Amino acid sequence: MNFIIFYLTYPIILLFSRLPMAMLYLISDFFFVLLYYVFGYRKKVILKNLNLAFPEKSTEEKHKITKAFYRHFTDIIVESIKAFTISEKEMLKRYKYSNPELINKYANEGRSIALVGAHLANWEWSCSMPLVTDIKCFGAYTTLNNKYFEKAIRNTRERFGFTGYKTSETVQKLKKNIENDVQGLYLLLSDQSPELRKTFYWNSFFNVKVPIHTGAEMLSKKFDFVVINYVVTKIKRGFFEVDFQLITDNPKQYKNYEITDLYTKITEENIRKQPEYYLWSHNRFKHKNRFKEWQERYESKQQTKS
């Protein structure tokens, strides 16, 4: 059944991918009307997130952000489809890197890099990063139920030189690279909510106490990776600029979770600059009332280990 679904839909996706961007944005406008006005896709989640993140904003302001988010969200969908066939020239025209020299400086020094980022503006086109960097680029991906679509999407994200691996295999693949003296840049989007059973740390994000991913910090300290944040700014429809921001090139000098806190602060600041382009449909604050429950479980596990 998965193969049949793939066989019937994949050719359509490729056909749409070859359309000019102007036509794809007309399709995006159509789906915006459906998602925003007809189906109200995850609208309750989006408004709940905005109410928590921006209590100082008026209802009118938050509804304005919501509407702009839907317009951007459907654009992201068609831009992701375009990634299947977009040329290098068009990609670099639309997705510009303002300072790849920061990445290349550490790459040429022989350092590996933990590149952290958020689901802001357009993260899908970051697959073009190997076109402007002097280092092997690796990125984790979430497995899909349909293995045929998973392979197709992985191939798309590897078109420009990225190497993909399953999220569950991140540490294993990274250790293997270290053992084989393979220098690399590891893209780690760390802004979404981790599973409670995999949580080690909580802190404030938009003044809400939530569990936070700490993998990038743990890996950078263990393997002495440079930690760099990347932020994507939407210049106009279909055009983006990527800026790399150094967090630290000496991670071992930081106390536990200080690097995570720096990343979280930077991410919040960048989202506040363009809130309509953040992935508010993700239920980021779903665990906000479960800190005590998590703390009790965590302390119980620590006592059992000791």
Side-chain angles (χ1 to χ4, degrees):
M1 180 58 70
N2 282 341
F3 175 74
I4 293 172
I5 293 171
F6 174 78
Y7 181 79
L8 292 175
T9 57
Y10 186 62
I12 298 173
I13 292 173
L14 287 181
L15 177 64
F16 274 93
S17 179
R18 295 186 182 281
L19 294 175
M21 289 302 301
M23 291 186 67
L24 285 173
Y25 284 132
L26 287 176
I27 295 170
S28 173
D29 290 340
F30 170 73
F31 280 104
F32 159 71
V33 173
L34 287 181
L35 292 186
Y36 182 71
Y37 289 105
V38 180
F39 298 114
Y41 170 74
R42 296 184 74 85
K43 189 173 285 188
K44 289 182 179 179
V45 171
I46 294 165
L47 287 172
K48 182 185 75 172
N49 285 340
L50 291 175
N51 285 331
L52 288 168
F54 302 110
E56 75 283 0
K57 292 187 181 295
S58 67
T59 300
E60 182 181 352
E61 287 175 309
K62 284 178 279 195
H63 278 285
K64 186 176 180 180
I65 292 172
T66 300
K67 188 173 183 179
F69 162 79
Y70 276 97
R71 287 194 178 278
H72 174 69
F73 181 72
T74 54
D75 279 359
I76 282 288
I77 294 172
V78 300
E79 286 162 4
S80 299
I81 291 173
K82 188 63 179 178
F84 280 84
T85 59
I86 192 171
S87 67
E88 290 186 12
K89 182 179 179 181
E90 185 173 9
M91 175 65 86
L92 292 178
K93 174 185 174 183
R94 292 178 173 276
Y95 204 75
K96 293 185 177 181
Y97 295 86
S98 65
N99 59 337
E101 62 273 10
L102 178 63
I103 296 290
N104 293 332
K105 170 184 181 294
Y106 290 105
N108 293 328
E109 291 175 3
R111 300 287 301 275
S112 287
I113 298 167
L115 186 68
V116 292
H119 292 80
L120 179 65
N122 183 326
W123 58 94
E124 290 290 345
W125 285 358
S126 62
C127 63
S128 62
M129 209 170 291
L131 297 175
V132 298
T133 55
D134 302 328
I135 189 171
K136 290 184 178 180
C137 298
F138 301 88
Y141 66 88
T142 303
T143 56
L144 302 176
N145 291 329
N146 190 317
K147 65 179 181 180
Y148 304 101
F149 270 115
E150 179 179 307
K151 183 179 179 180
I153 292 173
R154 177 176 175 175
N155 289 341
T156 296
R157 291 175 175 172
E158 293 183 341
R159 286 181 62 224
F160 301 119
F162 247 101
T163 298
Y165 51 83
K166 297 177 182 178
T167 302
S168 59
E169 298 175 349
T170 299
V171 176
Q172 176 187 348
K173 294 291 185 182
L174 193 150
K175 285 182 177 179
K176 186 176 181 180
N177 284 346
I178 297 295
E179 291 169 359
N180 294 317
D181 294 322
V182 176
Q183 181 190 10
L185 175 151
Y186 298 91
L187 177 57
L188 304 165
L189 297 182
S190 307
D191 59 310
Q192 295 189 337
S193 183
E195 297 177 42
L196 283 184
R197 64 185 179 87
K198 297 180 180 179
T199 295
F200 294 93
Y201 181 61
W202 293 62
N203 206 346
S204 292
F205 183 61
F206 284 95
N207 298 313
V208 181
K209 195 163 190 175
V210 293
I212 297 175
H213 281 288
T214 55
E217 175 176 338
M218 291 179 178
L219 293 171
S220 64
K221 284 184 174 181
K222 184 172 183 177
F223 299 110
D224 194 32
F225 287 173
V226 178
V227 185
I228 294 177
N229 182 73
Y230 90 99
V231 58
V232 186
T233 300
K234 187 169 185 174
I235 306 302
K236 61 181 180 178
R237 197 177 201 184
F239 291 87
F240 305 86
E241 184 171 279
V242 179
D243 184 53
F244 296 109
Q245 305 164 327
L246 177 66
I247 293 180
T248 180
D249 57 8
N250 188 8
K252 294 183 179 181
Q253 73 175 353
Y254 287 84
K255 296 179 181 178
N256 285 345
Y257 308 121
E258 284 185 342
I259 293 174
T260 299
D261 286 344
L262 283 171
Y263 160 74
T264 304
K265 181 181 179 182
I266 290 170
T267 297
E268 183 175 326
E269 289 173 351
N270 287 328
I271 293 170
R272 288 184 180 278
K273 293 175 183 176
Q274 43 179 353
E276 64 272 31
Y277 302 143
Y278 186 58
L279 191 62
W280 296 110
S281 54
H282 172 67
N283 198 356
R284 181 63 184 92
F285 304 110
K286 62 185 176 183
H287 297 312
K288 68 183 182 70
N289 295 320
R290 301 183 67 183
F291 175 68
K292 289 185 179 180
E293 173 191 338
W294 170 85
Q295 190 176 40
E296 290 172 358
R297 288 183 182 178
Y298 183 78
E299 290 175 352
S300 177
K301 287 181 181 179
Q302 295 303 107
Q303 289 174 1
T304 301
K305 288 180 181 179
S306 61

